Amino acid sequence: MEVQKGEMKIAIVGAGKLGLKVTEALLGGDHSVTILDQDEDVLQKLSSHLDVMTVNANAKETKILKNLGIATYDYLIAVTESDETNIVIASFAKKLGCSKVIARVRDPEHMDQLGFIKETMGIDNIVNPDLAITVEIYKYLVEKYTLSNGIFSSGKVALLEFSAKKFSALIGRSMHDVGAVLENMLIVALSRNGKVIIPHGDTVIQPEDGLYVIGERIPIMELNAQVHEKGKYTDLQKVMIVGGGKTGYYLAKKLSEFGIAVKIIEIDKNRCHYLSTHLEDVMILHGDATDLDLLEEENLDEMDAFVTATGYDEENLLLALMAKRHKIEDVIAKVSRESYSELIESMGIDMALNPIDITASTILRFVQGSKRVVSSVLIQGQAEIMEIIASHHMKLIDRPLSELEIPDGVIVAAIHRGLNVIIPNGDTIIQEGDRVIFFSLLTELPELEKMLRDNEKLPFFKRKRQR
């Protein structure tokens, strides 16, 4: 497989949901990707619609890795269903000369010794979807802001998050009219009914919306003084978690350590025993959470927050909807299937998180490293604000933004040029060396990678494939 200049050679072991998501994004960035898996049918389906090399083999066998020429690869990403398999494969690949290796590790037993595993096994980065989703839920529940103090800043640019109710002059206005109220600032995203959305010209701000506004640091700080209460702390006291799997375990542990009363409802008796022996000060209940009588007996109505983290998206959404009807303030659902995103928006739950998207984002940022991405921050576990340096290879430079087919879920939020901050419009042209801040939904990561690709020989903005 011939590799163009600027491309990386990447091997992905495990053709599951995460492996596929990462593959699609990396192909968007024009890297050459090889997928290894032991399921021949899955690989055949993949190769029919993606431009990848597939290898039907057990990557734990060193001869397979040697035959692949793993020493010539920039990255190996091990994301099979087994932690131990991922650790072993990543370690073998590293010993055989692969530049960087990443392993997905989910078991709580491994979490206390990650440093030791990385050091002794030679693994560069370990990702844990359940821990990543836990961190986002914790930030939302305990800190109430997805950004530290509601502000992300980079140099002279800052992004502020606040509720529309705190700035009533914006309510009922469309994006076309916002400039009259927020001069030289841009609303880059709204959080509405648990979903982060990128607004368009005719999007109207509603009272319940959370707003993300970007602009120069000083005006943003002045706006912050108007819209944020000083010293706001959470009054969160009681949380019910449905599903005592890894996400439920990590979240209960973190919330309990913060001093919150946590109840976990888990249907599997053996798992209940595990949880009760591994968690302190957490109430473990053996039962079926779809039984409303059980939830009511356990004082569902008194809960400040309700988190559904079973292994079934449908059950998580159904229970979240039920909890919302019981007027629980914060209802969060773990949902792994992208096809449910529109359904989530109409349900009115407070937050729906996709562990696949969050983990793919983590892996991509590690792979891109400092080569291009200066910084990135996750927003409500559903979007990412990212600062990149525009290089002369990128086709997004020297053309007005209005001429670029920017995906619906991506917005060019601000441009840092020398000492100046530019809040862009359709006529703005990105120049080589600009520091460009993007706001992107995690679901659009493959499309964003296409925007940032460095390869001059390939066609640039393709129209989005209809899903």
Side-chain angles (χ1 to χ4, degrees):
M1 193 185 292
E2 190 183 341
V3 180
Q4 305 283 351
K5 189 183 175 190
E7 278 185 24
M8 286 190 277
K9 279 180 77 177
I10 298 162
I12 295 177
V13 185
K17 285 183 194 168
L18 178 58
L20 184 58
K21 180 86 183 179
V22 174
T23 299
E24 286 180 339
L26 289 169
L27 288 173
D30 273 352
H31 305 303
S32 88
V33 179
T34 303
I35 298 185
L36 298 92
D37 198 285
Q38 293 188 76
D39 188 326
E40 193 170 357
D41 292 341
V42 168
L43 291 178
Q44 279 184 341
K45 280 181 195 167
L46 272 183
S47 56
S48 68
H49 73 275
L50 288 177
D51 181 20
V52 291
M53 185 167 92
T54 58
V55 178
N56 180 213
N58 182 354
K60 276 205 288 190
E61 295 179 30
T62 51
K63 67 179 181 187
I64 299 294
L65 294 174
K66 284 177 182 171
N67 289 343
L68 188 66
I70 199 67
T72 65
Y73 277 70
D74 298 286
Y75 284 90
L76 175 133
I77 303 166
V79 287
T80 75
E81 288 304 306
S82 160
D83 286 359
E84 285 72 20
T85 299
N86 293 337
I87 290 169
V88 167
I89 290 170
S91 181
F92 284 177
K94 188 73 174 181
K95 295 280 191 293
L96 291 170
C98 184
S99 294
K100 301 267 188 201
V101 297
I102 301 170
R104 174 170 68 179
V105 177
R106 294 184 287 191
D107 203 315
E109 272 73 19
H110 292 312
M111 288 302 108
D112 296 331
Q113 50 194 24
L114 280 190
F116 182 76
I117 292 171
K118 285 166 77 172
E119 189 179 339
T120 54
M121 307 300 275
I123 297 172
D124 297 286
N125 197 22
I126 286 177
V127 292
N128 182 334
D130 304 284
L131 200 51
I133 201 171
T134 294
V135 167
E136 295 304 315
I137 295 171
Y138 181 84
K139 280 198 295 190
Y140 179 82
L141 288 178
V142 173
E143 298 170 14
K144 273 300 183 194
Y145 301 131
T146 50
L147 302 162
S148 169
N149 300 323
I151 295 177
F152 161 87
S153 65
S154 169
K156 286 190 167 186
V157 180
L159 175 84
L160 174 65
E161 172 203 4
F162 60 93
S163 166
K165 286 179 180 171
K166 300 283 184 192
F167 202 117
S168 56
L170 290 170
I171 295 171
R173 287 182 181 264
S174 72
M175 291 300 121
H176 290 303
D177 305 328
V178 164
V181 181
L182 298 175
E183 283 187 44
N184 206 28
M185 295 182 195
L186 186 66
I187 296 178
V188 291
L190 305 176
S191 175
R192 178 176 292 170
N193 295 332
K195 198 170 171 209
V196 175
I197 58 174
I198 304 290
H200 295 284
D202 52 0
T203 304
V204 175
I205 296 172
Q206 298 173 8
E208 302 300 321
D209 288 346
L211 307 179
Y212 293 89
V213 178
I214 201 162
E216 285 203 56
R217 189 181 169 88
I218 292 171
I220 287 284
M221 297 307 259
E222 289 167 357
L223 178 60
N224 179 54
Q226 293 177 52
V227 298
H228 267 164
E229 304 157 27
K230 280 190 179 171
K232 182 184 178 202
Y233 293 102
T234 180
D235 54 2
L236 189 75
Q237 293 176 347
K238 296 177 180 177
V239 178
M240 185 177 281
I241 300 171
V242 178
K246 295 182 180 73
T247 302
Y249 169 85
Y250 288 127
L251 183 60
K253 189 168 188 286
K254 212 161 163 49
L255 290 172
S256 170
E257 286 168 356
F258 186 73
I260 289 161
V262 182
K263 286 183 180 180
I264 295 181
I265 299 179
E266 168 57 48
I267 200 165
D268 184 285
K269 199 167 186 178
N270 291 333
R271 184 65 183 171
C272 285
H273 177 70
Y274 173 90
L275 293 168
S276 61
T277 54
H278 286 78
L279 290 171
E280 292 177 21
D281 303 323
V282 174
M283 187 180 288
I284 314 297
L285 301 165
H286 176 230
D288 182 354
T290 58
D291 177 358
L292 192 53
D293 291 337
L294 169 67
L295 295 180
E296 287 176 346
E297 277 172 32
E298 292 303 331
N299 306 317
L300 170 68
D301 293 331
E302 292 177 15
M303 294 296 145
D304 300 309
F306 186 87
V307 180
T308 61
T310 76
Y312 303 98
D313 286 354
E314 294 83 359
E315 191 171 307
N316 289 341
L317 287 172
L318 191 66
L319 286 165
L321 185 58
M322 179 276 305
K324 210 61 205 167
R325 288 192 171 155
H326 277 254
K327 304 285 190 290
I328 292 176
E329 185 181 345
D330 288 311
V331 177
I332 297 172
K334 174 183 170 183
V335 185
S336 298
R337 202 173 299 176
E338 275 179 27
S339 55
Y340 287 145
S341 63
E342 285 183 24
L343 180 65
I344 292 162
E345 200 172 344
S346 64
M347 288 173 65
I349 59 179
D350 298 286
M351 197 179 191
L353 293 174
N354 185 326
I356 307 287
D357 285 343
I358 292 173
T359 315
S361 164
T362 306
I363 290 171
L364 285 170
R365 293 309 138 242
F366 184 79
V367 169
Q368 300 301 2
S370 58
K371 186 183 86 163
R372 192 175 69 201
V373 177
V374 181
S375 62
S376 72
V377 175
L378 277 184
I379 305 294
Q380 283 204 11
Q382 298 171 56
E384 187 169 11
I385 182 162
M386 183 196 314
E387 183 176 6
I388 65 110
I389 297 171
S391 79
H392 70 280
H393 288 303
M394 294 179 184
K395 294 285 178 75
L396 55 77
I397 70 169
D398 299 334
R399 291 166 66 193
L401 293 183
S402 58
E403 290 183 14
L404 305 177
E405 288 181 25
I406 297 173
D408 288 344
V410 177
I411 191 166
V412 179
I415 297 166
H416 221 145
R417 182 174 299 157
L419 297 174
N420 298 321
V421 172
I422 299 163
I423 302 302
N425 58 36
D427 299 325
T428 304
I429 295 173
I430 296 170
Q431 298 176 5
E432 183 182 351
D434 283 352
R435 292 163 80 105
V436 185
I437 295 177
F438 288 93
F439 197 107
S440 169
L441 301 180
L442 295 188
T443 50
E444 295 285 5
L445 284 176
E447 297 297 325
L448 180 59
E449 290 301 314
K450 286 179 190 172
M451 283 184 65
L452 303 179
R453 68 169 42 152
D454 276 356
N455 198 318
E456 294 171 301
K457 296 179 184 175
L458 288 161
F460 189 46
F461 290 105
K462 295 177 186 170
R463 291 213 171 264
K464 279 168 65 179
R465 199 169 59 243
Q466 293 299 311
R467 291 188 178 89

